[in-house]
């Protein structure tokens, strides 16, 4: 969640009229389950053109929803929406898309999904993006403590009591700032409130049911929606699946092990390309040079910007998407071999630095994760668990701990976890890479078990996070079939999977200095962001 695409639709977009309603054949069936407590359906969005050169048909609108869905006549907030309208005679209803986070903006994602799906498939849907409450162009937007990630931060590794206290003080200050600035909003920023917003969007679109496509945290959002409103789901695609049995403390500890494995995979890739990077052919020695670089930066940050913590921030995206490896390896090699830290500083600014959108995203991330479920309030437990994890997975353990540490001080009362087990919703289609770091493989298996009738498609040996519409034609074939007519694979994959696809090849080193890749995978991962 460090850096995300700039939102397309500003706060100035307002509801100004009516549009043609959703055709009656958009969905069928009765509606049951919990009702969103809105006295009357929301006003239909007034769509206005907001296209870009990349997504020229994109439209934007806004929607008023209650801050507190149990008090529908109380204070209203505004959700920013985007849409690529259907063009085919056959219309299959709205397809809501979400990039994860929590805290990710989905406005641009609608344009990406509509352009990346096969044209005949995309033409049958209104692809709907939205900024969840508190995010981006939705109003009000959270920004608890601007500049919280300004460099240089204390070393994430709490090697002394003073370093640990400095990091604890930062975490507590962030939670205190959120309480002071957004006390009225925080009790209503959470997964269940966002799910009820999704149902308000459904009502405003005039649809009896929605189709849904979520990445990362968006898979949990979709699973909770299906739990609360099973008869309002038509189709659901969940890509890179959150383990709902570990939200959120346990899931973050599991991430630490998986990210360490991805860092080892990066070191092995660098070693295989020693003729290019000259860092050695032994992955263990490459890894040792990375930690030596970390130690040197802890003592003397590069350009006064990239200390040990910022180095971790810079290399974390490589755990999400291996398309970044060539850029990270060049910066690594330049620092070690030529004592040149310019490429490293540039890599930090491209991959690790947090801008205003990142401050907003982190504020929402914290508000959702810290309030969704209870976190340990005893810092002693955090200390023990993270040192135990660090012993096996040193790469990101403490960086991740401090990222989530405001939850130890969070000012609002925690909710109860949602049991997403579901036998009432229609079959969902799940996608999961076996070596995903942000949402480890076990999450896909767990949700496959919990959602009766679901189908699991596995990318064997894949390590990227967010795998459909990223260049793997095998995965995308299953996605297109499902969105076309509901077809899912059944039981042919073995080991609990219904289908298995080969992973994409690893990237190749850069042959010359060039701009960041314009591949579809790179575009998607810029939209998904990091920490999602």
């Amino acid at each position: 969640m460090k850096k995300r695409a700039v939102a397309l639709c500003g706060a100035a977009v307002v509801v100004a009229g009516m549009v043609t309603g959703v055709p009656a054949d958009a969905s069928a069936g009765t509606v049951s389950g919990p009702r969103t407590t809105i006295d009357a359906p929301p006003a239909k969005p007034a769509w206005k053109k907001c296209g870009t050169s990349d997504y020229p048909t994109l439209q934007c609108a806004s929607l008023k929803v209650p801050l507190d869905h149990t008090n529908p006549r109380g204070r209203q907030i505004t959700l920013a929406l985007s849409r690529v309208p259907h063009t085919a005679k056959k219309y299959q209803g709205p397809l809501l898309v979400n990039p994860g986070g929590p805290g990710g903006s989905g406005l641009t994602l609608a344009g990406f999904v509509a352009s990346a799906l096969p044209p005949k498939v995309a033409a049958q849907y209104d692809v709907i993006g939205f900024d969840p409450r508190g995010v981006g162009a939705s109003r009000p937007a959270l920004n608890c403590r601007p500049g919280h990630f300004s460099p240089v931060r204390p070393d994430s590794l709490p090697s002394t009591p003073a370093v640990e206290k400095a990091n604890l003080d930062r975490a507590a200050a962030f939670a205190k700032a959120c309480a002071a600035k957004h006390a009225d909003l925080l009790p209503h920023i959470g997964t269940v409130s966002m799910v009820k917003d999704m149902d308000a969007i459904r009502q405003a679109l005039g649809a009896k049911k929605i189709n849904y496509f979520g990445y990362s945290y968006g898979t949990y959002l979709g699973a909770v929606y299906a739990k609360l409103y099973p008869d309002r789901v038509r189709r659901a695609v969940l890509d890179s699946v959150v383990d709902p049995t570990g939200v959120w403390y346990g899931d973050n500890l599991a991430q630490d092990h998986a990210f360490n494995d991805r860092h080892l995979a990066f070191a092995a890739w660098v070693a295989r390309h020693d003729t290019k990077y000259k860092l050695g052919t032994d992955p263990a020695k490459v890894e040792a040079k990375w930690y030596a670089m970390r130690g040197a930066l802890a003592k003397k940050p590069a350009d006064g910007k990239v200390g040990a913590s910022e180095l971790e921030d810079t290399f974390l995206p490589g755990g999400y998407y291996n398309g970044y490896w060539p850029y990270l390896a060049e910066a690594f090699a330049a620092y070690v071999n030529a004592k040149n830290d310019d490429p490293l500083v540039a890599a930090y600014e491209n991959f690790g630095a947090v801008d205003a959108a990142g401050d907003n995203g982190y504020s929402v991330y914290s508000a959702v994760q810290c309030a969704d479920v209870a976190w340990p309030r005893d810092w002693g437990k955090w200390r023990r668990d993270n040192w135990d994890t660090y012993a096996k997975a040193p790469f990101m353990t403490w960086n991740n701990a401090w990222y989530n540490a405001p939850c130890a001080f969070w000012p609002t009362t925690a909710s109860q976890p949602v049991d997403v087990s579901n036998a009432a919703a229609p079959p969902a289609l799940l996608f999961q890479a076996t070596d995903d770091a942000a949402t480890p493989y076990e999450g896909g298996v767990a949700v496959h078990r919990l959602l009766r009738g679901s189908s699991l498609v596995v990318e064997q040996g894949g390590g990227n996070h967010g795998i459909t519409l990223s260049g793997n034609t095998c995965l995308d074939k299953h996605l297109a079939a499902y969105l076309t007519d509901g077809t899912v694979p059944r039981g042919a994959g073995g080991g609990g999977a219904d289908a298995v696809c080969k992973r994409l090849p690893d990237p190749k080193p850069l042959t010359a200095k060039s701009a960041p890749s314009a591949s579809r995978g790179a575009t998607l991962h810029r939209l998904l962001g990091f920490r999602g």
Side-chain angles (χ1 to χ4, degrees):
M1 191 179 303
K2 299 281 182 154
K3 300 181 76 173
R4 294 190 178 272
V6 176
L8 291 176
C9 307
V13 178
V14 297
V15 175
M18 306 290 283
V19 295
T20 302
V22 174
D25 64 342
S27 58
T30 58
V31 174
S32 63
R35 297 185 62 183
T36 302
T37 52
I38 298 177
D39 290 349
K44 287 179 167 52
W47 298 104
K48 296 183 178 182
K49 293 180 180 180
C50 62
T52 67
S53 57
D54 289 331
Y55 310 118
T57 61
L58 202 63
Q59 302 171 347
C60 294
S62 63
L63 177 69
K64 295 288 187 181
V65 297
L67 173 65
D68 180 356
H69 280 280
T70 66
N71 181 20
R73 296 187 180 183
R75 179 181 173 185
Q76 303 291 296
I77 61 174
T78 303
L79 303 180
L81 310 180
S82 65
R83 176 178 76 165
V84 176
H86 74 285
T87 56
K89 290 183 179 180
K90 180 180 180 181
Y91 177 58
Q92 300 207 52
L95 174 64
L96 273 65
V97 298
N98 181 272
S105 168
L107 299 180
T108 308
L109 184 65
F112 172 83
V113 169
S115 66
L117 285 171
K120 290 184 178 179
V121 177
Q124 298 177 27
Y125 290 91
D126 285 343
V127 183
I128 307 293
F130 63 101
D131 279 357
R133 56 175 54 203
V135 175
S138 292
R139 292 292 181 264
L142 268 64
N143 195 342
C144 295
R145 193 172 183 241
H148 181 71
F149 289 97
S150 296
V152 170
R153 308 197 310 275
D155 191 336
S156 66
L157 186 65
S159 54
T160 68
V163 174
E164 182 178 42
K165 182 178 186 302
N167 280 297
L168 272 174
D169 287 348
R170 283 186 71 255
F174 186 85
K176 183 177 180 181
C178 284
K181 195 170 183 180
H182 298 302
D184 57 334
L185 301 177
L186 292 185
H188 307 290
I189 304 293
T191 297
V192 171
S193 291
M194 291 175 176
V195 159
K196 292 180 178 180
D197 289 344
M198 288 168 56
D199 202 55
I201 294 171
R202 177 196 62 79
Q203 292 183 66
L205 297 174
K208 291 183 179 180
K209 298 186 179 185
I210 63 167
N211 306 281
Y212 180 79
F213 184 179
Y215 291 94
S216 190
Y217 165 77
T219 66
Y220 183 66
L221 196 66
V224 174
Y225 183 90
K227 180 68 173 187
L228 297 186
Y229 308 108
D231 291 334
R232 299 176 190 176
V233 178
R234 184 172 179 271
R235 291 180 188 146
V237 179
L238 309 181
D239 183 328
S240 303
V241 185
V242 166
D243 186 348
T245 67
V247 293
W248 290 110
Y249 184 77
D251 279 352
N252 276 279
L253 290 172
Q255 277 187 338
D256 297 335
H257 292 279
F259 271 111
N260 197 77
D261 289 343
R262 289 306 289 158
H263 191 60
L264 295 176
F266 166 72
W269 180 85
V270 171
R272 288 197 300 273
H273 296 286
D274 179 59
T275 56
K276 170 70 173 178
Y277 301 116
K278 302 187 186 322
L279 290 167
T281 59
D282 182 348
K285 291 182 179 179
V286 172
E287 183 192 16
K289 290 180 179 179
W290 190 90
Y291 282 103
M293 175 174 65
R294 186 195 184 283
L297 291 168
K299 296 177 181 177
K300 185 181 179 182
D303 196 31
K305 292 182 180 179
V306 186
S309 295
E310 290 75 24
L311 180 73
E312 292 167 342
D313 297 345
T314 302
F315 279 75
L316 172 69
Y320 282 84
Y321 177 51
N322 63 10
Y324 300 140
W325 286 0
Y327 303 95
L328 297 172
E330 294 233 335
F332 179 16
Y335 184 89
V336 173
N337 296 329
K339 310 303 179 187
N340 179 6
D341 61 15
D342 288 345
L344 185 63
V345 173
Y348 164 70
E349 291 173 346
N350 285 331
F351 300 121
V354 177
D355 56 13
D359 282 335
N360 166 243
Y362 180 63
S363 297
V364 177
Y365 171 95
S366 300
V368 172
Q369 293 223 341
C370 297
D372 261 5
V373 296
W375 289 66
R377 295 285 179 159
D378 174 14
W379 184 252
K381 177 171 177 55
W382 289 69
R383 183 188 294 116
R384 291 189 299 272
D385 289 345
N386 281 280
W387 276 121
D388 286 348
T389 303
Y390 175 84
K392 299 177 182 178
F395 170 55
M396 281 301 301
T397 293
W398 277 106
N399 187 295
N400 198 25
W402 298 122
Y403 196 83
N404 291 284
C407 294
F409 307 96
W410 204 247
T412 63
T413 302
S415 302
Q416 293 297 314
V418 177
D419 175 7
V420 303
S421 60
N422 203 323
L429 182 59
L430 317 181
F431 291 93
Q432 186 68 45
T434 56
D435 298 341
D436 184 351
T439 52
Y441 180 71
E442 291 75 14
V445 174
V447 172
H448 184 31
R449 184 180 67 250
L450 291 169
L451 302 185
R452 192 175 75 178
S454 64
S455 182
L456 175 63
V457 180
V458 170
E459 186 181 42
Q460 186 65 44
N464 290 339
H465 177 69
I467 54 176
T468 57
L469 303 183
S470 194
N472 189 317
T473 56
C474 175
L475 298 172
D476 290 352
K477 181 179 69 174
H478 290 293
L479 173 64
Y482 180 67
L483 291 178
T484 297
D485 59 16
T487 298
V488 294
R490 288 296 181 198
D498 294 285
V500 176
C501 293
K502 294 181 180 179
R503 70 181 180 94
L504 293 174
D506 283 339
K508 295 180 180 180
L510 302 176
T511 56
K513 289 185 178 180
S514 60
S517 173
S519 71
R520 204 166 72 182
T523 301
L524 172 64
H525 286 88
R526 284 193 294 271
L527 293 174
L528 299 186
F530 318 130
R531 301 279 192 184

